[in-house]
Amino acid sequence: EAGGNERGADLCRWIVAGKLHNQEKLMRYFAKSRDGTRRSALENAAGTLRRLRRAALGVSGSSPGQVRAELMGPEGTGGRMYWKEIGNMLPEELGFAGRSHQGATDAVNAGINYGYGILMSHVWGAVMNAGLEPFAGFLHVDRAGKPSLVLDLVEEFRQPVVDRAIFSWLNKGGQLRLVKGLLDGASRESVASRVLMRLMATEQHRGKQHQIRSIVQMQARLAASAVRGLRRYRSFSFKW
């Protein structure tokens, strides 16, 4: 039922708002350790992402189908700005020329995709534990073989779990290496260990400290309550 009413529309808004919010927070997190024009660029991007978040929450419509297309506007604009600033921030020798999802040909994108895969497996387990159908999404449309709800709930955790861990490491001299188009063993181990460390790190959430992996479970249960109309969904915001 939520797939065709206001409960689903509200969930879509908060999925996009949560992603934009955590993109903003990561920009501010990296700006703290920088000076001059680089710091200003990150702070300006953060300000724009904050405005896009407000725009996403203001999208009108009473079902996912009515809000989905309009939400793609602030999400897409925010994503382009976010990845542009990430590219400007990373060392040039890493060769990161922009975000590439499937079939990445550079080591940075391959590392990001590998980290997102680890995160996705944790979110998938949380979705199952919450009694939700992983292939029935709200923001991501249903498609054969695509775990749309898992992809929905992954969005707010990409920045605090994977992006922060990998980009902080790369900025401190970390290296990723491709062999025949795939990450080598050392690179996979480096990415996996850092992503898993972030999942075990604690963050403030609902007034208490929790491991992020526990917050993933909490958010999946909140989504289950939201689609039943018991509680409104609110995305997780990490502290920068």
Side-chain angles (χ1 to χ4, degrees):
E1 291 178 359
N5 63 28
E6 173 58 34
R7 297 197 300 272
D10 194 53
L11 189 57
C12 288
R13 294 186 196 98
W14 279 99
I15 289 167
V16 174
K19 178 180 182 178
L20 290 166
H21 185 68
N22 284 336
Q23 286 176 335
E24 175 208 338
K25 296 305 182 187
L26 196 61
M27 293 286 98
R28 297 192 189 281
Y29 173 80
F30 285 126
K32 287 193 300 184
S33 58
R34 284 159 176 79
D35 298 307
T37 57
R38 185 85 297 273
R39 179 169 187 158
S40 296
L42 289 166
E43 289 177 341
N44 289 339
T48 301
L49 287 161
R50 176 175 288 184
R51 291 190 290 273
L52 290 169
R53 175 184 181 270
R54 290 197 294 265
L57 288 174
V59 169
S60 61
S62 57
S63 70
Q66 291 178 7
V67 301
R68 189 179 293 118
E70 191 172 348
L71 283 170
M72 293 299 101
E75 184 192 38
T77 300
R80 288 188 293 273
M81 174 176 296
Y82 175 80
W83 289 111
K84 177 183 177 183
E85 294 305 323
I86 291 293
N88 291 337
M89 180 187 71
L90 291 175
E92 290 185 12
E93 58 268 24
L94 292 174
F96 180 75
R99 182 74 180 108
S100 175
H101 299 271
Q102 295 181 349
T105 58
D106 67 282
V108 174
N109 270 300
I112 296 167
N113 291 343
Y114 188 67
Y116 286 165
I118 296 170
L119 171 62
M120 189 169 166
S121 69
H122 282 263
V123 175
W124 197 320
V127 166
M128 297 294 290
N129 288 340
L132 295 166
E133 168 53 62
F135 293 91
F138 292 87
L139 183 68
H140 292 84
V141 296
D142 293 348
R143 191 177 302 166
K146 181 179 179 182
S148 300
L149 184 58
V150 177
L151 294 171
D152 283 351
L153 298 185
V154 158
E155 295 291 6
E156 67 202 64
F157 291 102
R158 294 182 189 273
Q159 299 78 37
V161 175
V162 180
D163 295 359
R164 175 174 161 174
I166 294 179
F167 299 145
S168 296
W169 171 61
L170 292 176
N171 275 321
K172 294 176 182 176
Q175 296 292 322
L176 293 167
R177 183 168 176 261
L178 293 180
V179 176
K180 296 181 179 179
L182 299 173
L183 290 174
D184 66 8
S187 297
R188 292 196 303 274
E189 184 175 343
S190 293
V191 170
S193 63
R194 284 163 175 81
V195 170
L196 292 172
M197 283 177 63
R198 280 298 296 160
L199 283 165
M200 290 186 288
T202 58
E203 287 277 348
Q204 183 83 3
H205 186 59
R206 300 183 193 173
K208 296 181 179 180
Q209 291 287 329
H210 301 278
Q211 287 189 333
I212 296 178
R213 61 181 180 178
S214 296
I215 297 172
V216 172
Q217 300 279 345
M218 294 165 70
Q219 289 299 97
R221 291 195 294 270
L222 178 59
S225 294
V227 299
R228 294 184 177 101
L230 302 177
R231 298 172 64 189
R232 293 190 67 185
Y233 190 80
R234 292 293 183 268
S235 48
F236 163 66
S237 171
F238 85 101
K239 302 297 181 285
W240 58 280

